[in-house]
Amino acid sequence: SSQKIALVSLDAAQAKSQLKLVAEARQMADAVAFIDALQQQPGVKRAELLQHEVQADDTYKPVRFNILVELGAAALSPAEDTP
């Protein structure tokens, strides 16, 4: 469930069709489930785990992870969609 994930940052400036997310999860399995769920969203072409790291200095030792989300044509407005 999404309550197991905390979104730390979202960067949409890299390219019109890409989002870079930084999030934290209590455990790696939650991060993987979140990425799988993202992959199933309409308009998402691909969701890829770029990096992950256990936050050892935090009491709860969450996993911080970076995801690259590639948006497909369905997520772009017609003006940006090229044939």
Side-chain angles (χ1 to χ4, degrees):
S1 105
S2 60
Q3 294 174 348
K4 295 179 181 177
I5 304 295
L7 186 62
V8 176
S9 73
L10 182 141
D11 178 11
Q14 289 186 328
K16 284 181 168 58
S17 62
Q18 289 185 337
L19 299 174
K20 190 174 179 185
L21 307 177
V22 179
E24 285 186 356
R26 290 183 186 177
Q27 48 195 354
M28 195 59 203
D30 295 333
V32 171
F34 179 73
I35 294 165
D36 286 346
L38 266 179
Q39 185 86 48
Q40 305 305 315
Q41 296 305 306
V44 173
K45 190 171 167 184
R46 187 167 64 106
E48 177 187 352
L49 178 66
L50 298 178
Q51 180 184 348
H52 70 281
E53 177 184 9
V54 174
Q55 302 296 298
D57 56 343
D58 188 303
T59 309
Y60 299 102
K61 309 234 181 316
V63 179
R64 180 170 286 205
F65 56 103
N66 297 12
I67 311 167
L68 181 67
V69 179
E70 241 179 76
L71 302 175
L76 301 174
S77 69
E80 294 171 325
D81 194 10
T82 53

